[in-house]
Amino acid sequence: MTRFLSLGEIMVEMAPAPENPGLYRLGYAGDTFNTAWYARRLLPATWTVSYGTVLGEDAMSDDLARFIGAQGLSNDALRRTPDRTAGLYMIQTRDGERSFSYWRGQSAAKLLADDPDWLDQILADRAMIQFSGISLAILAPEARKTLCAALGRARAAGAHVAFDTNLRPRLWESAEAMRSGLLMGASVSDTVLPSFDEEQLAFGDASPEDTVQRYRASGATCVVIKNGGAPCHGWSETDGTVTTTPPTVARIVDSTAAGDSFGAGFLAARATGASLATAMTRAAALAAQVIQHPGALAPQIFETGEPA
């Protein structure tokens, strides 16, 4: 199997136009979509990379479906539903800091797990499946259980399931629901990709080792902890404990998609046979390049082939 699938929500993005601060520019992004976008550029052409989500039947959803396909991603895991549309968020910048406002009450992606038969169909025969904490947080509590049950079945059938915890506390009903949701996601995953500052917030971890141990106990066979510019800690059943140091970045332009691109770099490397240390190094190198460009998607770094 050489089929990669990311699951989640792609949203309409309204960002200030650099050339005219009084205007906004339309774009599309989302954490798992960003990972799929980078994975498509890193994996060999023999791999199919798909994005799985639910869209409405309106004109904006049509545009999103076309955009997904235009990025080299397969639309074989899209479902359409009436009376829903895409979620939207707006970026505002003040003194160089970005803030976000969200409108996702009618987001079709919130129905991602409402059709269990469809879920089983799109998850079947995938080599690797990636989802995130946001993929879970936007769902109703029972739907989270449905999605995780389907992912567990896909894992049992041979798929490698990867979970980027990607914490957004405001999306969850409570701190306890958030912690339970993260552990449930980890329990059906082979690889877990948390961020240490978020684990400190959610669980009070004193060290990366605490994070590794929790997700090992949940059933993960590989845990890699993103930690900004600090050393990256990883563990897997086959490679043991590994620590790598990310490249130094003199000037960060935009940290958007740093974690999403790290995940893509890591999973693409592992999917093509790289060791844990090599995959961590490649992932950090990609993320270091991404944060030196504006926006979530940085095609510039691929213009001369694969990123260095």
Side-chain angles (χ1 to χ4, degrees), residues 3-305:
R3 302 174 71 206
F4 183 103
L5 171 69
S6 284
L7 280 176
E9 180 184 34
I10 181 171
M11 301 183 73
V12 177
E13 176 190 84
M14 300 300 294
E19 65 279 4
N20 191 332
L23 296 179
Y24 279 79
R25 184 172 58 192
L26 177 71
Y28 308 110
D31 66 331
T32 53
F33 172 79
N34 300 338
T35 297
W37 189 92
Y38 283 104
R40 172 62 288 167
R41 283 147 184 80
L42 295 169
L43 286 167
T46 52
W47 280 71
T48 298
V49 180
S50 305
Y51 190 65
T53 192
V54 183
L55 299 174
E57 295 180 346
D58 59 319
M60 182 57 71
S61 296
D62 291 343
D63 287 346
L64 275 166
R66 283 191 289 268
F67 176 77
I68 291 169
Q71 303 311 303
L73 304 176
S74 172
N75 282 333
D76 66 349
L78 292 183
R79 181 163 65 85
R80 308 293 289 268
T81 186
D83 304 320
R84 292 274 181 153
T85 187
L88 178 147
Y89 69 95
M90 179 177 288
I91 301 172
Q92 295 171 299
T93 305
R94 178 176 297 177
D95 299 327
E97 294 295 326
R98 291 154 59 97
S99 62
F100 300 83
S101 298
Y102 291 89
W103 295 266
R104 55 168 30 116
Q106 292 300 309
S107 171
K110 296 171 74 172
L111 306 180
L112 183 64
D114 282 24
D115 185 339
D117 291 338
W118 173 77
L119 269 181
D120 284 337
Q121 177 185 335
I122 67 167
L123 296 176
D125 300 323
R126 304 286 180 178
M128 187 169 282
I129 302 167
Q130 183 257 349
F131 71 114
S132 76
I134 294 177
S135 308
L136 292 178
I138 64 172
L139 304 180
E142 286 303 311
R144 290 172 198 150
K145 296 178 183 178
T146 300
L147 176 58
C148 286
L151 289 165
R153 290 191 292 273
R155 183 187 186 191
H160 185 103
V161 178
F163 179 44
D164 186 331
T165 56
N166 209 2
L167 222 59
R168 295 294 185 273
R170 288 190 296 176
L171 288 177
W172 297 88
E173 311 89 80
S174 65
E176 181 54 39
M178 180 175 68
R179 288 189 288 268
S180 296
L182 295 178
L183 293 174
M184 180 168 57
S187 73
V188 297
S189 301
D190 299 281
T191 294
V192 179
L193 299 167
S195 294
F196 184 57
D197 59 341
E198 295 178 351
E199 299 300 308
Q200 289 178 302
L201 173 66
F203 295 98
D205 289 0
S207 70
E209 287 74 20
D210 293 339
T211 306
V212 169
Q213 290 304 319
R214 179 173 52 260
Y215 292 122
R216 283 184 67 176
S218 294
T221 58
C222 178
V223 182
V224 176
I225 303 169
K226 295 164 286 182
N227 202 10
C232 181
H233 296 265
W235 165 86
S236 76
E237 285 186 343
T238 55
D239 298 74
T241 300
V242 172
T243 301
T244 59
T245 301
T248 300
V249 177
R251 179 173 175 264
I252 298 175
V253 173
D254 187 347
S255 62
T256 304
D260 308 334
S261 58
F262 181 100
F266 180 81
L267 295 174
R270 292 292 270 177
T272 51
S275 68
L276 179 61
T278 297
M280 290 166 61
T281 299
R282 290 181 186 173
L286 175 62
Q289 292 188 65
V290 169
I291 62 177
Q292 296 178 68
H293 296 85
L297 310 178
Q300 307 94 318
I301 65 178
F302 296 94
E303 289 175 355
T304 56

